Amino acid sequence: MLTSKFASLKELSKKRILQDMIGSVRTPEGYVVMVVDKWTLRILSAACGMSDIADVGVTVVEKLELQRQRLPQMDALYFISPEADSVDALVRDFSSAKKPQYRGVHLFFSTSANQVVMNKIAQAPHLIPLLKTMKDLNLDFIASQPNVFHTDSPHAVQFLYSPDALGAARIEQLRTAEKIVTLCTTMKEFPHIRYSIKHPMCEHVARYIHQQLDGFYRASIESFDVNAVRPTMVIMDRSIDPLAPVLHESTYEAMIHDLLHTKEDNIVEYTTVKEDGTEEVKRAVVTEKDELWVGLRHQHIAVVLETVAKEFSNFVKGNVSSKLHKQLVSGPGNEVDDPRQMLDAIRAMPQYTELLDRYGLHMQLAEKCVNVFNEKQLQKIMELEQDLATGVDKEGRVLSNGKFASSLAKMLSRDDIGEEEKLRLVLSYVIAMEGVKEKERKRIVEVAQLTPESQRAVQNLLYVGINPQVAGKAHKRIINKDELKKAKKRAKDVPFELMRSVPVVKDVMESQLNGSMPIEQFPYVVTPPEILIGEPLSQPVPATQGRSLRTKKRYDWHIATEEKKEVELQTEQPPRSFFFVLGGITHSEARSAFELSNQLNREVIIGGSCLLTPQSYIDELKGFPSGESTQVMIHHPIKLNPVRPATSIAPKP
């Protein structure tokens, strides 16, 4: 099973909450009430369990927006976002001097509050005397996995790309940048920032991140790891690969979120059939505490089924508690004779039962995924998707445009394939072909019998960089020769034919990690002198060097250019690499970051506006206004102050 070797974003977030926030609060009783809003509750839930916060003195967690019992004999720790609604609710809690909600207030904002918010607090006469603490925690992201985070913006695709939401686009870019800054400060990093030239929003966000971090660094140099080689952060947007969110995946986590349609983070709903033939809806929670889930989630579904069955069998055979359980259920023939073994077995029974339940859960979930896979005829659908994504078939043979068109027509004419799958096939085809002629598009829509809503999703690919309707008499897909060569090799090397395609984002990450990322396509916000950067520009780092001790001559990055001072730095581990996709990341991209981290022994952290599922992405496409009259991708610039030169990161005089 696969697990990460590096520090966990979830653990770092947990430390910030338990130690830096709750641990800093002192009360006469030694405990507090904790009040959170909708956003900070999600941050808290992603990082900590109730037992974790109870252990450090929190008696109860209450929601800010709900009516709460007054507790004037206790202090309260407010962990809220600096938004108007949350601050207004805070002020209302102390609108009466005679009946305050709590005895004292320890206020922590998830990110920096603006002047409007500060004025509201300053103008609350009954709150100010009770305000014992007011700090910015600067923890404004959700750590969903050890190396994966998101900014919880499920409608970012529409906010960022819709021509009807110019103001929303600007706000989304600024807020995203601010949330990424809190990630950097949490990890005490000031990365070199690069951005994709695919869409102007990438540069705008990258520059804003740099400006914010530069300000943080100047204000609190002690909060940064100034003795470390600076990492690199790469900002991209969803238009770099609009195909990945549409494709079906055959790995466990991706299939659960796609085929079982999860409703909330870590909560899976699935239907089972009871012995009497009736259906029952069950809810399962999968978290980082479930070691079985952590080890299996990035594995192919066939491997998951085999692994769970094998490990369960070994567990039952070798577990004394299992023998005791059999003895209690079945009677004679399974006796545990040794009294010490009997005592150990009784003590282990709760853990045994819990682990037994986990094996049963994952067996059910994996089998349910396979059942849906078969019901939806996904084997043939995914074969065609993989062909479209790579340009070659499972044997590595290059396929013609005509072959793609005929294969699509056959699939769309089948009655046993539902509209949802047909729509995804049409989207995959249009994206892979980089648009089709109007006549062909109309024919495809007619054969697939797509509803007007689904047709709108196809047309609205325009907003994420794909013109679904190309002009001219002939349109031919052109695939880079190097990409075709790679696709042919993968077709022969991959253990499962439905895992032939690789997300573009994985190629981007790999190019940065091995030092081959083209600066023309991914320029720096502030181009550092080669001697200052913590990644190779021309010499790739072999995978075998991942953890070797090596000496790197460089200048301290926090020393001004005119004060260059050569130092020797022993680095046991190469610097981290951060990647962020505006609009959201897919589960295949999250898995790719995990795979590269293990393969190259490098710490790879990936984030996005949200964790996309195929359904959520398609819903976003459907939600755009009709793109019929627009022929170019819409850009939404934001105005930023010019970036200071590299010397701006020197310490304050």
Side-chain angles (χ1 to χ4, degrees):
M1 292 193 294
L2 301 174
T3 55
S4 177
K5 306 183 183 80
F6 300 101
S8 168
L9 276 179
K10 294 179 81 72
E11 288 300 319
L12 287 172
S13 299
K14 182 177 179 179
K15 178 178 178 292
R16 292 279 285 161
I17 291 170
L18 299 184
Q19 296 182 22
D20 299 346
M21 182 172 69
I22 302 174
S24 69
V25 173
R26 298 288 181 267
T27 65
E29 302 83 7
Y31 51 82
V32 294
V33 175
M34 190 172 187
V35 183
V36 294
D37 60 20
K38 292 179 180 179
W39 166 240
T40 54
L41 177 60
R42 287 179 54 73
I43 297 173
L44 181 68
S45 300
C48 305
M50 286 301 298
S51 60
D52 296 321
I53 57 178
D55 288 345
V56 292
V58 174
T59 59
V60 63
V61 177
E62 298 194 312
K63 295 181 180 179
L64 177 65
E65 60 272 14
L66 300 182
Q67 188 71 33
R68 287 159 279 125
Q69 178 185 354
R70 285 183 60 243
L71 297 171
Q73 75 283 6
M74 293 184 66
D75 282 2
L77 187 162
Y78 281 76
F79 177 37
I80 61 176
S81 55
E83 299 293 332
D85 291 347
S86 294
V87 176
D88 288 342
L90 164 67
V91 171
R92 282 196 300 272
D93 281 352
F94 301 92
S95 57
S96 170
K98 294 182 179 180
K99 293 184 177 181
Q101 186 72 26
Y102 306 103
R103 180 182 63 197
V105 177
H106 301 270
L107 177 58
F108 290 82
F109 287 122
S110 58
T111 188
S112 300
N114 60 32
Q115 194 58 51
V116 174
V117 167
M118 298 303 291
N119 289 341
K120 284 188 176 185
I121 294 173
Q123 294 166 10
H126 306 311
L127 170 62
I128 293 297
L130 304 180
L131 196 58
K132 299 180 179 181
T133 306
M134 188 166 71
K135 293 182 179 179
D136 297 334
L137 185 63
N138 285 319
L139 182 67
D140 206 28
F141 60 90
I142 291 178
S144 57
Q145 294 181 24
N147 70 322
V148 179
F149 73 98
H150 63 87
T151 56
D152 199 32
S153 183
H155 300 297
V157 169
Q158 288 194 36
F159 290 157
L160 292 170
Y161 296 100
S162 175
D164 289 353
L166 295 176
R170 182 179 185 277
I171 292 171
E172 179 69 17
Q173 292 174 35
L174 296 177
R175 283 184 173 173
T176 299
E178 290 168 353
K179 291 176 186 292
I180 294 173
V181 167
T182 71
L183 172 84
C184 296
T185 57
T186 295
M187 305 195 79
K188 300 182 179 180
E189 298 279 25
F190 189 172
H192 294 292
I193 302 174
R194 304 179 70 168
Y195 57 89
S196 166
I197 63 171
K198 181 78 173 176
H199 197 295
M201 75 170 76
C202 301
E203 180 180 1
H204 303 147
V205 172
R207 289 185 178 277
Y208 193 77
I209 293 170
H210 176 86
Q211 290 179 2
Q212 287 281 90
L213 278 174
D214 189 48
F216 268 105
Y217 173 77
R218 287 171 161 264
S220 54
I221 185 173
E222 69 280 356
S223 299
F224 290 83
D225 190 0
V226 296
N227 294 316
V229 180
R230 290 177 71 183
T232 297
M233 175 178 286
V234 181
I235 305 296
M236 301 167 270
D237 79 289
R238 193 63 265 166
S239 69
I240 201 167
D241 185 4
L243 179 59
V246 177
L247 298 178
H248 290 85
E249 274 275 308
S250 55
T251 50
Y252 187 34
E253 181 179 45
M255 290 185 78
I256 282 179
H257 286 276
D258 182 5
L259 306 184
L260 304 189
H261 297 301
T262 52
K263 303 295 182 183
E264 303 173 50
D265 288 347
N266 303 322
I267 298 177
V268 184
E269 285 190 358
Y270 60 103
T271 304
T272 60
V273 180
K274 296 192 293 186
E275 292 182 1
D276 61 3
T278 60
E279 291 187 345
E280 179 184 11
V281 177
K282 290 188 175 182
R283 289 166 65 90
V285 180
V286 287
T287 69
E288 298 297 316
K289 293 182 179 180
D290 182 353
E291 294 182 3
L292 198 58
W293 164 253
V294 171
L296 292 173
R297 63 184 170 199
H298 297 312
Q299 299 276 23
H300 188 278
I301 193 67
V303 175
V304 172
L305 285 167
E306 181 182 353
T307 301
V308 172
K310 184 178 179 180
E311 288 198 6
F312 175 70
S313 177
N314 292 338
F315 169 74
V316 171
K317 288 178 182 177
N319 193 286
V320 178
S321 296
S322 173
K323 294 178 182 178
L324 177 61
H325 181 73
K326 287 181 180 178
Q327 179 178 327
L328 295 173
V329 174
S330 306
N334 295 292
E335 289 82 359
V336 177
D337 298 323
D338 189 331
R340 287 175 298 180
Q341 282 190 323
M342 178 74 78
L343 182 59
D344 290 342
I346 291 172
R347 288 172 176 166
M349 280 296 284
Q351 293 89 335
Y352 165 78
T353 303
E354 181 181 350
L355 194 51
L356 198 63
D357 289 343
R358 301 315 294 178
Y359 279 118
L361 168 65
H362 290 294
M363 185 62 75
Q364 287 188 68
L365 290 178
E367 288 177 346
K368 183 64 177 176
C369 287
V370 172
N371 291 340
V372 176
F373 176 92
N374 292 328
E375 290 168 6
K376 293 192 172 187
Q377 308 293 325
L378 293 186
Q379 178 69 34
K380 291 294 183 183
I381 291 173
M382 291 175 69
E383 285 178 6
L384 178 53
E385 286 178 349
Q386 292 294 302
D387 292 350
L388 286 166
T390 62
V392 301
D393 64 13
K394 60 185 178 182
E395 305 298 333
R397 295 185 294 256
V398 178
L399 299 171
S400 66
N401 287 8
K403 177 64 176 176
F404 285 133
S406 62
S407 297
L408 178 69
K410 289 178 182 177
M411 201 67 69
L412 295 180
S413 62
R414 290 177 55 165
D415 295 330
D416 57 348
I417 295 178
E419 183 181 348
E420 177 186 343
E421 308 309 323
K422 288 182 179 180
L423 172 58
R424 287 173 68 169
L425 270 176
V426 172
L427 290 169
S428 298
Y429 179 76
V430 173
I431 295 169
M433 301 301 290
E434 299 177 353
V436 294
K437 292 183 292 184
E438 181 180 6
K439 183 178 180 181
E440 183 182 9
R441 181 176 66 86
K442 289 182 177 179
R443 179 178 57 81
I444 290 171
V445 167
E446 183 179 348
V447 173
Q449 296 183 331
L450 297 183
T451 64
E453 185 183 34
S454 293
Q455 292 180 46
R456 188 162 62 247
V458 177
Q459 191 62 36
N460 288 341
L461 286 171
L462 182 71
Y463 297 117
V464 291
I466 298 294
N467 189 342
Q469 181 178 312
V470 295
K473 295 182 179 180
H475 176 66
K476 186 176 181 180
R477 179 189 187 187
I478 300 175
I479 304 178
N480 182 283
K481 289 184 179 180
D482 290 337
E483 291 302 316
L484 271 180
K485 186 177 179 180
K486 290 179 184 178
K488 289 179 182 179
K489 186 177 186 302
R490 282 196 301 268
K492 297 176 181 178
D493 293 345
V494 292
F496 300 99
E497 64 182 57
L498 298 183
M499 294 186 71
R500 288 181 282 129
S501 67
V502 173
V504 173
V505 171
K506 182 174 185 179
D507 289 335
V508 171
M509 291 190 290
E510 195 165 13
S511 71
Q512 190 279 320
L513 291 165
N514 66 27
S516 62
M517 176 176 278
I519 198 167
E520 301 83 12
Q521 296 178 34
F522 292 89
Y524 288 88
V525 171
V526 175
T527 304
E530 184 170 292
I531 200 168
L532 288 178
I533 67 173
E535 67 174 85
L537 281 182
S538 55
Q539 296 297 321
V541 177
T544 54
Q545 287 187 5
R547 275 199 180 271
S548 61
L549 276 174
R550 65 181 193 210
T551 300
K552 181 187 276 289
K553 284 189 175 183
R554 67 174 186 93
Y555 297 109
D556 274 347
W557 64 270
H558 61 288
I559 295 176
T561 304
E562 63 270 16
E563 297 176 15
K564 288 179 180 178
K565 175 184 176 183
E566 191 168 352
V567 296
E568 294 287 328
L569 176 69
Q570 292 289 339
T571 59
E572 182 180 340
Q573 181 64 40
R576 295 174 171 124
S577 291
F578 298 90
F579 302 90
F580 191 89
V581 183
L582 296 160
I585 57 170
T586 67
H587 286 90
S588 62
E589 290 160 350
R591 169 176 53 81
S592 296
F594 177 85
E595 290 170 346
L596 286 171
S597 183
N598 276 4
Q599 176 189 341
L600 302 178
N601 219 0
R602 297 283 299 274
E603 189 168 5
V604 181
I605 296 171
I606 188 170
S609 304
C610 59
L611 275 170
L612 289 168
T613 64
Q615 188 61 54
S616 67
Y617 181 63
I618 291 172
D619 286 345
E620 287 294 284
L621 291 176
K622 290 178 178 179
F624 280 118
S626 174
E628 292 286 348
S629 62
T630 310
Q631 295 299 318
V632 295
M633 184 163 57
I634 307 299
H635 297 159
H636 304 299
I638 59 175
K639 293 184 179 180
L640 297 173
N641 296 325
V643 174
R644 289 184 287 269
T647 54
S648 69
I649 58 175
K652 294 181 291 185

